[in-house]
Amino acid sequence: SVDGLKLHVFYLPAEHAKRFVILSHGYRGSRFGSLSFMVKYLHEHQCNLLFMEQRCCGESEGKHITLGAKEKWDVQRWAIYVSERNKEKLPIYLYGQSMGAAAVLMASGYRLPSEVKGLMAGFRMKDADTTEAMKRNTRPVLFFHGEKDTYVYPNNSFQNYMLCKAPKELVIVQGARHLCSAYADPELYQRTVMEFFEKYDGSNSEK
């Protein structure tokens, strides 16, 4: 990390891969946890997966969780790490849930490798300020939020959606609670993600 911590990831390559997806988990989560349902689908659809283990979680070092303030730099560093080893120049996507979504959105306000084609954010933590990053971000963003999420209300995603100046889409999943959008309507969730990939895999990214 930029502040000298040893951070861990788990890498799961796919056969005939078409893209990389870097997965950023939520507050006090793990590299698998709530991500496990969707990642099976991603892997089966030719996505190389890099499971981050956030600072102070799992095997990663650190004493404090910073709600995205430092995790954003960790997301950036892992994107650079993948880019430096991405010999085929496959597109890279950043996928975050909860605090992990905040870290992904905040990282988007800073320089990322050109192969990073888009961001997917489950929702953001209400204590993490993504305002300035969303104003600076130039990459497409796909926002998901559960209609019945009472932990982080859907308005949080709507605010980010309105602030985002880049191409964007907001999907409110009916009946879905906290971290349950992919479970509540898997067909909608999976179809929307694949359409997002197909739309931006070959796009040009800057900043």
Side-chain angles (χ1 to χ4, degrees):
S1 70
V2 294
D3 50 348
L5 298 178
K6 182 182 287 186
L7 304 178
H8 286 254
V9 294
F10 177 82
Y11 176 56
L12 182 62
E15 290 187 14
H16 311 296
K18 292 184 176 180
R19 63 192 67 85
F20 284 89
V21 180
I22 299 175
L23 300 141
S24 176
H25 68 73
Y27 180 71
R28 299 184 71 179
S30 69
R31 58 191 177 194
F32 300 117
S34 62
L35 295 166
S36 59
F37 181 79
M38 189 59 190
V39 298
K40 182 177 184 293
Y41 178 83
L42 293 174
H43 188 251
E44 290 173 350
H45 287 77
Q46 298 170 287
C47 297
N48 291 329
L49 303 177
L50 192 83
F51 298 79
M52 291 178 57
E53 212 154 54
Q54 305 280 17
R55 55 180 58 224
C56 195
C57 297
E59 296 180 51
S60 290
E61 295 180 346
K63 295 182 178 180
H64 304 288
I65 295 172
T66 68
L67 299 177
K70 291 185 177 180
E71 288 82 1
K72 67 185 177 189
W73 301 118
D74 302 334
V75 171
Q76 182 195 46
R77 291 291 291 268
W78 284 121
I80 293 170
Y81 177 90
V82 170
S83 175
E84 290 174 345
R85 292 156 179 79
N86 183 13
K87 295 180 181 179
E88 297 180 7
K89 297 299 179 184
L90 297 175
I92 299 170
Y93 292 87
L94 309 180
Y95 180 114
Q97 287 189 342
S98 192
M99 186 195 76
V104 162
L105 295 180
M106 293 167 80
S108 74
Y110 298 90
R111 185 169 295 278
L112 292 168
S114 61
E115 300 100 302
V116 177
K117 302 300 182 183
L119 322 170
M120 293 175 284
F123 50 85
R124 74 175 181 90
M125 291 290 288
K126 58 186 177 183
D127 296 326
D129 188 1
T130 58
T131 301
E132 292 305 314
M134 284 292 88
K135 290 179 180 178
R136 294 194 300 267
N137 172 52
T138 61
R139 289 173 169 80
V141 184
L142 175 58
F143 296 96
F144 281 102
H145 210 118
E147 177 221 1
K148 292 189 176 180
D149 189 342
T150 57
Y151 182 64
V152 181
Y153 290 103
N155 188 52
N156 283 274
S157 285
F158 182 72
Q159 289 173 354
N160 274 293
Y161 176 83
M162 295 302 294
L163 286 167
C164 182
K165 305 301 183 186
K168 58 194 175 183
E169 182 177 355
L170 172 61
V171 180
I172 302 297
V173 181
Q174 298 300 309
R177 297 183 181 276
H178 184 65
L179 286 178
C180 291
S181 292
Y183 296 91
D185 195 338
E187 182 179 349
L188 171 65
Y189 199 97
Q190 293 167 4
R191 183 180 71 250
T192 306
V193 167
M194 292 308 299
E195 289 173 351
F196 186 72
F197 288 153
E198 291 166 4
K199 187 173 183 178
Y200 295 110
D201 272 352
S203 65
N204 294 320
S205 300
E206 299 177 357
K207 191 173 178 182

